[in-house]
Amino acid sequence: MTSSSSQSPDAAKPPARDPWDLPDVSGLVVGVLGGTGDQGRGLAYRLARAGQKVIVGSRAAERAEAAAAELGHGVAGAANADCARRSDVVILAVPWEGHAKTLRSLADDLAGKIVVDCVNPLGFDKKGAYAITPEEGSAAEQAAALLPDSRVTAAFHHLSAVLLQDPAVESIDTDVMVLGESRADTDVVQALAGRVTGMRGVYAGRLRNAHQVESLVANLISVNRRYKAHAGLRVTDV
Amino acid sequence: MTSSSSQSPDAAKPPARDPWDLPDVSGLVVGVLGGTGDQGRGLAYRLARAGQKVIVGSRAAERAEAAAAELGHGVAGAANADCARRSDVVILAVPWEGHAKTLRSLADDLAGKIVVDCVNPLGFDKKGAYAITPEEGSAAEQAAALLPDSRVTAAFHHLSAVLLQDPAVESIDTDVMVLGESRADTDVVQALAGRVTGMRGVYAGRLRNAHQVESLVANLISVNRRYKAHAGLRVTDV
């Protein structure tokens, strides 16, 4: 218990936190805005199948309810604003074209929520897909600018909607890069990703580095075309 | 041998080429410009260890020769221009800061060569690494603009220089995303990546989609810091 002059200067530091020590998120309600699109349906299905309480949101409550009934696993459907208000974590799976408009209209409903942006701003021409650079830098940074009262993160970009939606696929063998400014928030999103069989949530930086994660989907589209695959990504050595 | 009206309309199409049917590149000479830096040394070491003939280039021939002697495995050293002229494939592993200047001075020496840009334009501040966007879109597109007579590709961005250089590491468990405009050229670079134990070269699109591949290194730096790792990437389902 005595202090020694030979002690390492690092010895007083608390031990580094285990990055895999993530919170229990099994009780959180997850909303999926754009939950009637392919990516949204796929994410809703996988999370609900893993036991998470999921609400899919759409502009029209009836469409959301119809999608929810098809998805099963206890998924509920609601109009976007209602979906946002009833959820703890809200995944944005809307098309890039409607991203800013949707967020502006839902800013109050999303206040205080953990928002997970999984939107990939891409353009398409005869040569394939290419990255679009939003004025704010990325879709996630646009969300952060439009939702100053929300806790914005970015994740779930590199998943195949085909694999997510296929009930015969038992395991989604892809890591989910999770970006954000607050460790408490990214930890929750990582834990959520980890609920899905095969998936891991891996912290991958701040929102200012979201653009390349979003636009890498253009490259995965090229991979899919060349290899006739549903490509995803694994981070090695972690 | 008779033609039938019930024949599929697709039957006359040639079968799709197997994307893993890659050329034999074992006889090619590989130059590594910036071959005395960590990334360049690491790539030179791995390729030479795999049996490839490698020449490391540096501004000063003496420095290149000293690095080559340390690397062993038959690696030679030469001044940059000499290295470029004697090589079939030239990997650019120079710092981003010197990228344009180096290429301008070597355009004639690199004419006709397959050039592999592995440069990641990044900035660093107290919050870590962030992407820099070159005026041309990416380092690789800058190279293509400055080297109109070369066959410019982009690859080898996501490799840990620490692992590459560690002789105790037997296998580099990372895929190499290869980008370019010509399939003949990207096939060569993919085959080259595949020479290294553990590595695969995976086609990942055209040069216009190089920026996100280059700048994803900022995210891998965040991963390395959080997980105390030497992160790389695997493309799943291919």
Side-chain angles (χ1 to χ4, degrees):
Chain A
M1 299 297 277
T2 56
S3 166
S4 157
S5 63
S6 67
Q7 205 174 13
S8 154
D10 290 329
K13 281 190 189 169
R17 263 184 60 195
D18 177 356
W20 297 112
D21 180 16
L22 299 172
D24 177 6
V25 296
S26 58
L28 299 184
V29 177
V30 179
V32 184
L33 300 183
T36 58
D38 275 340
Q39 191 76 357
R41 290 170 60 92
L43 286 169
Y45 173 69
R46 285 293 152 182
L47 289 167
R49 181 168 148 162
Q52 206 75 30
K53 175 64 193 169
V54 176
I55 307 173
V56 293
S58 184
R59 272 178 295 183
E62 301 73 35
R63 279 194 69 203
E65 284 158 13
E70 277 178 48
L71 289 167
H73 294 280
V75 175
N80 279 334
D82 192 27
C83 167
R85 278 195 304 271
R86 286 161 58 192
S87 302
D88 302 300
V89 177
V90 180
I91 297 174
L92 302 178
V94 299
W96 166 240
E97 291 67 30
H99 187 261
K101 193 180 168 194
T102 302
L103 296 190
R104 270 190 207 101
S105 70
L106 296 172
D108 289 344
D109 309 295
L110 290 168
K113 311 290 185 182
I114 294 181
V115 169
V116 190
D117 202 309
C118 68
V119 175
N120 307 305
L122 296 182
F124 293 87
D125 62 18
K126 62 183 179 177
K127 290 185 173 179
Y130 58 92
I132 290 173
T133 306
E135 200 183 313
E136 296 84 353
S138 59
E141 287 163 290
Q142 184 182 82
L146 294 174
L147 304 172
D149 298 325
S150 301
R151 297 149 65 184
V152 175
T153 66
F156 298 117
H157 304 89
H158 303 143
L159 301 167
S160 158
V162 173
L163 298 183
L164 289 177
Q165 293 183 91
D166 184 348
V169 173
E170 297 287 337
S171 177
I172 302 294
D173 289 320
T174 301
D175 287 339
V176 170
M177 295 187 186
V178 179
L179 295 92
E181 301 303 308
S182 148
R183 180 152 183 177
D185 298 344
T186 53
D187 276 359
V188 166
V189 179
Q190 286 175 250
L192 202 59
R195 297 268 290 156
V196 176
T197 305
M199 269 192 211
R200 288 191 309 177
V202 176
Y203 174 74
R206 294 172 180 272
L207 293 187
R208 69 175 181 175
N209 282 318
H211 174 59
Q212 54 266 30
V213 173
E214 295 171 359
S215 47
L216 199 70
V217 174
N219 303 85
L220 296 180
I221 290 171
S222 292
V223 171
N224 288 344
R225 187 179 295 191
R226 174 68 57 94
Y227 297 90
K228 304 191 191 314
H230 301 294
L233 291 176
R234 280 280 185 215
V235 183
T236 58
D237 200 42
V238 302
Chain B
M1 298 298 275
T2 57
S3 166
S4 158
S5 64
S6 67
Q7 205 173 12
S8 153
D10 290 330
K13 279 191 190 169
R17 263 185 61 195
D18 177 356
W20 297 113
D21 180 14
L22 299 172
D24 176 5
V25 296
S26 58
L28 298 184
V29 177
V30 179
V32 183
L33 300 183
T36 59
D38 276 339
Q39 191 77 356
R41 291 170 61 93
L43 285 169
Y45 173 70
R46 286 292 151 182
L47 289 166
R49 181 167 148 163
Q52 206 75 29
K53 175 65 193 168
V54 176
I55 307 172
V56 293
S58 183
R59 273 179 294 183
E62 301 73 35
R63 278 194 69 201
E65 284 157 13
E70 277 179 47
L71 289 167
H73 293 279
V75 175
N80 279 334
D82 192 25
C83 166
R85 279 195 304 270
R86 288 161 59 192
S87 302
D88 303 299
V89 177
V90 180
I91 298 174
L92 302 179
V94 300
W96 165 242
E97 290 68 29
H99 186 261
K101 193 180 169 195
T102 302
L103 297 190
R104 269 191 208 102
S105 70
L106 296 172
D108 289 343
D109 309 295
L110 291 167
K113 311 291 186 181
I114 294 181
V115 170
V116 189
D117 201 310
C118 68
V119 174
N120 306 306
L122 296 181
F124 293 87
D125 61 19
K126 62 182 179 177
K127 289 185 173 180
Y130 58 91
I132 290 173
T133 307
E135 201 183 312
E136 296 84 355
S138 60
E141 287 163 291
Q142 184 182 83
L146 294 174
L147 304 174
D149 298 324
S150 301
R151 299 150 64 185
V152 175
T153 66
F156 299 117
H157 303 89
H158 303 144
L159 301 167
S160 159
V162 172
L163 298 183
L164 289 177
Q165 293 183 89
D166 183 347
V169 173
E170 297 289 337
S171 177
I172 302 294
D173 289 321
T174 301
D175 287 339
V176 170
M177 295 187 185
V178 179
L179 295 93
E181 302 303 309
S182 148
R183 179 150 182 179
D185 298 344
T186 53
D187 275 0
V188 166
V189 179
Q190 286 175 249
L192 201 60
R195 297 267 291 156
V196 176
T197 305
M199 269 191 210
R200 289 190 309 177
V202 176
Y203 174 74
R206 294 172 179 273
L207 293 186
R208 68 176 181 173
N209 282 317
H211 173 60
Q212 55 266 30
V213 173
E214 295 171 356
S215 48
L216 199 69
V217 174
N219 302 86
L220 296 181
I221 290 171
S222 292
V223 171
N224 288 345
R225 187 179 294 191
R226 174 68 57 95
Y227 297 90
K228 303 189 191 317
H230 301 293
L233 292 176
R234 280 281 185 213
V235 183
T236 58
D237 200 42
V238 302

